[in-house]
Every structure is written in structure tokens, then in C-alpha cells.
Amino acid sequence: MVAAPKKKPEDLITKQIIIRLTKSDHYELKKLCVKKEITINNFVRDLIKNAINRKSDYNE
């Protein structure tokens, strides 16, 4: 396994995404994240990265 290259701060951008959830959905998401021992932010970030990778797979 090869370590991912470090991103330079100037290559990163910050975007704010607002996600609206019901109380029950938020509770389920929080439970899932606690079970996987990750934060909700990291969970959403991983979802976005996976979606980008899948899109690039389809374009090949």
C-alpha cells in the first residue's frame, strides 16, 4: 500500500454544504458515525470523494 501524497494548503478549497435532516435521520447518521468511529464531516467528505471517483470510473 502506498501513502497518498500530502495536499498543499493552496491546492485545497473550503466549501460549505448545508444538509437538512429530520431529527430521526440525524440520529441514525450520528449512530452510524459513532459505530464507524468517524465524524459526520468525515463521513460526508468520504461520500463526496467516492462519488467523484465513481464518476471518473464511468468516464473511462
Side-chain angles (χ1 to χ4, degrees):
M1 188 179 338
V2 178
K6 283 279 188 187
K7 302 278 190 227
K8 297 179 202 160
E10 60 271 11
D11 292 341
L12 302 175
I13 59 172
T14 302
K15 291 288 181 183
Q16 183 176 3
I17 299 174
I18 298 172
I19 302 171
R20 301 179 91 184
L21 300 171
T22 63
K23 284 184 180 181
S24 61
D25 287 341
H26 182 262
Y27 177 73
E28 290 299 317
L29 177 59
K30 201 169 180 180
K31 255 181 22 181
L32 177 70
C33 289
V34 167
K35 185 177 177 183
K36 291 186 168 201
E37 298 178 355
I38 60 174
T39 64
I40 292 176
N41 282 342
N42 286 342
F43 180 80
V44 172
R45 189 177 295 123
D46 289 344
L47 285 177
I48 293 168
K49 285 180 181 179
N50 288 340
I52 291 168
N53 289 338
R54 283 187 182 174
K55 184 179 181 202
S56 66
D57 289 346
Y58 291 131
N59 291 336
E60 290 178 353

